[in-house]
């Protein structure tokens, strides 16, 4: 009854092409932004920040980056963990080499370094695609992990082989290090996620995004109508790696504080972000948020229920979590291949037509 387009008139091309064409969608978006920026910071504590909000925000950035490459451009990638490691080690070297530079610029520069590496490993996409490209990006994953393990310069010749984020502040507030508050972590990641989502949304609905989708749907036909496969694929790898590098930098410096590349950025990380994109929905910015929320909240929920409520052993609950997540991934692939984003679209269509059946 309330979710209707009736009376919502458009008087310009700009209004007709906006992200949220229905007034209730716009109201919901601004209400969510108001809650995220004006309510959550006053009620968040260390548990909610470290267990739910900060990992969700960081993985949402990584999922947006991978979704641009896989969902919008159609280029399969299994090297997400390696590219996140590039962002983490880049921001570590920048933080230790240039301590006077604001930390925000370190994160952006780390994304730029990762974009350059992503373009380098994305060049094979000009000649190969599908399974072969997936194997090439998987090779990048193993190579980058090996490189960061074997070259001591990357971890400043530390005896442990780990990298540890030094204390850094912005506007006098600690963003990294042991003195960082939960609110500072949350707000810093939230601001960067907002900027990333805004850039990604405008890219995907503009000329660049249309070129990506043309290459995804049929690269030969796209080339015939004038789309340059070289620039389309390389820009997809560059933008995707840029966002993934930012996520890796935040995961190391803001969330973990210290990391060892094999444990923090192994092949499991690549599959985790890929599952977020699959469950959330390929080719959807909202799907990136939904998939990240699903795979961040589900383990926390299952742990609280199985261990906290039922008193199961922690190791049994951990194995059961993996089984449930795997079963849900298979279920989504069979029942709804387009993920949670498609379910959300269907629900909105039903609401727009209710109470009529079709």
């Amino acid at each position: 009854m309330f979710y209707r387009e009736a009376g919502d008139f458009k008087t310009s091309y700009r209004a007709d092409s906006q992200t949220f064409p229905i007034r209730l969608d716009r109201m919901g978006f601004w209400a969510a932004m108001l809650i995220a920026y004006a309510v959550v910071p006053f009620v968040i504590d260390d548990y909610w920040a470290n267990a739910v909000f900060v990992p969700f925000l960081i993985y949402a950035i990584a999922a947006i980056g991978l979704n641009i490459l896989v969902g919008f451009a159609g280029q399969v990638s299994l090297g997400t963990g390696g590219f996140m490691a590039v962002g983490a080690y880049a921001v570590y070297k920048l933080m230790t080499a240039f301590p006077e530079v604001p930390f925000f610029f370190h994160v952006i520069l780390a994304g730029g370094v990762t974009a350059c590496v992503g373009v380098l490993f994305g060049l094979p996409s000009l000649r190969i695609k599908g399974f072969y490209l997936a194997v090439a990006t998987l090779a990048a994953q193993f190579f980058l992990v090996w490189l960061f393990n074997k070259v001591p310069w990357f971890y400043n010749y530390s005896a442990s082989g780990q990298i540890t984020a030094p204390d850094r502040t912005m506007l006098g507030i600690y963003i990294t290090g042991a003195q960082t508050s939960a609110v500072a972590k949350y707000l810093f990641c939230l601001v960067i996620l907002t900027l990333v989502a805004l850039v990604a949304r405008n890219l995907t609905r503009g000329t660049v995004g249309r070129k990506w989708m043309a290459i995804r749907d049929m690269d030969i036909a796209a080339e015939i109508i004038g789309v340059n496969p070289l620039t389309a694929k390389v820009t997809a790898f560059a933008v995707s790696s840029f966002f993934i590098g930012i996520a890796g930098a935040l995961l190391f410096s803001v969330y973990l504080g210290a990391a060892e590349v094999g444990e923090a950025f192994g092949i499991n990380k690549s599959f985790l972000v890929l599952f977020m994109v699959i469950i959330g929905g390929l080719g959807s910015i909202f799907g990136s948020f939904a998939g990240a929320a699903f795979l961040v909240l589900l383990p926390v929920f299952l742990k609280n229920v199985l261990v906290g409520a039922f008193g199961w052993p922690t190791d049994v609950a951990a194995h059961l979590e993996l089984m449930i997540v795997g079963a849900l991934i298979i279920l989504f692939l069979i029942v709804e291949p387009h993920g949670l984003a498609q379910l959300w679209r269907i629900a909105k269509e039903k609401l727009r037509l209710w109470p009529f059946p079709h």
Side-chain angles (χ1 to χ4, degrees):
M1 182 178 296
F2 300 105
Y3 192 69
R4 289 287 184 270
E5 292 179 85
D8 198 354
F9 300 108
K10 309 295 188 301
T11 57
S12 65
Y13 287 112
R14 180 177 182 180
D16 193 47
S17 61
Q18 58 190 332
T19 300
F20 301 105
I22 299 177
R23 184 181 292 109
L24 192 62
D25 285 339
R26 295 193 294 273
M27 293 170 59
F29 169 75
W30 289 115
M33 294 293 288
L34 181 65
I35 292 171
Y37 278 96
V39 176
V40 174
F42 293 100
V43 298
I44 196 173
D45 57 17
D46 287 334
Y47 171 77
W48 282 99
N50 294 322
V52 176
F53 285 107
V54 173
F56 160 69
L57 297 173
I58 294 173
Y59 282 123
I61 296 173
I64 290 173
L66 185 61
N67 214 339
I68 285 176
L69 186 62
V70 179
F72 287 97
Q75 308 300 303
V76 184
S77 175
L78 295 176
T80 309
F83 295 132
M84 291 180 74
V86 174
Y89 278 80
V91 79
Y92 171 68
K93 295 298 291 185
L94 290 168
M95 291 170 73
T96 53
F98 306 102
E100 69 281 357
V101 177
F103 176 64
F104 177 82
F105 296 108
H106 286 156
V107 174
I108 301 301
L109 289 173
V113 172
T114 313
C116 296
V117 176
V119 168
L120 180 64
F121 285 103
L123 290 177
S125 67
L126 302 175
R127 289 288 178 266
I128 59 177
K129 57 184 178 180
F131 173 76
Y132 301 99
L133 181 59
V135 172
T137 54
L138 186 63
Q141 163 74 37
F142 291 124
F143 171 76
L144 291 170
V145 170
W146 172 86
L147 180 68
F148 293 131
N149 262 326
K150 295 299 182 181
V151 180
W153 179 82
F154 287 111
Y155 49 85
N156 285 350
Y157 304 94
S158 169
S160 63
Q162 282 192 339
I163 54 175
T164 303
D167 293 351
R168 290 293 179 267
T169 61
M170 280 191 64
L171 304 176
I173 301 172
Y174 280 97
I175 303 298
T176 66
Q179 303 180 63
T180 309
S181 65
V183 176
K185 289 181 181 180
Y186 168 76
L187 285 177
F188 185 77
C189 293
L190 179 62
V191 168
I192 292 190
L193 174 59
T194 304
L195 295 175
V196 164
L198 183 64
V199 171
R201 175 58 184 162
N202 283 281
L203 280 175
T204 53
R205 69 175 183 164
T207 304
V208 176
R210 290 187 176 92
K211 290 180 179 179
W212 291 341
M213 288 183 276
I215 291 293
R216 175 196 66 190
D217 294 337
M218 187 174 290
D219 52 355
I220 296 176
E223 190 172 2
I224 290 173
I225 64 174
V227 176
N228 189 335
L230 171 64
T231 57
K233 292 182 179 181
V234 168
T235 52
F237 269 96
V239 174
S240 171
S241 301
F242 177 75
F243 292 157
I244 291 172
I246 289 177
L250 293 176
L251 184 68
F252 154 68
S253 57
V254 177
Y255 181 57
L256 296 176
E260 193 277 325
V261 64
E263 295 180 3
F265 303 104
I267 186 65
N268 290 339
K269 194 70 69 181
S270 298
F271 283 113
L272 176 63
V273 180
L274 181 62
F275 293 156
M276 290 177 181
V277 172
I278 291 173
I279 290 178
L282 292 170
S284 168
I285 301 299
F286 171 77
S288 304
F289 284 91
F294 186 85
L295 285 183
V296 168
L297 291 174
L298 182 64
V300 176
F301 173 76
L302 291 176
K303 184 176 180 180
N304 286 331
V305 171
L306 298 178
V307 179
F310 296 156
W312 288 18
T314 307
D315 54 345
V316 175
H319 285 88
L320 190 61
E321 287 173 18
L322 295 176
M323 294 171 62
I324 293 174
V325 171
L328 288 172
I329 291 170
I330 295 172
L331 181 66
F332 271 103
L333 289 174
I334 295 173
V335 177
E336 185 48 79
H338 297 290
L340 295 171
Q342 179 65 11
L343 295 177
W344 178 246
R345 280 193 291 266
I346 293 173
K348 291 203 298 181
E349 287 296 325
K350 296 291 185 182
L351 284 174
R352 288 166 70 182
L353 296 173
W354 187 86
F356 303 105
H358 32 246

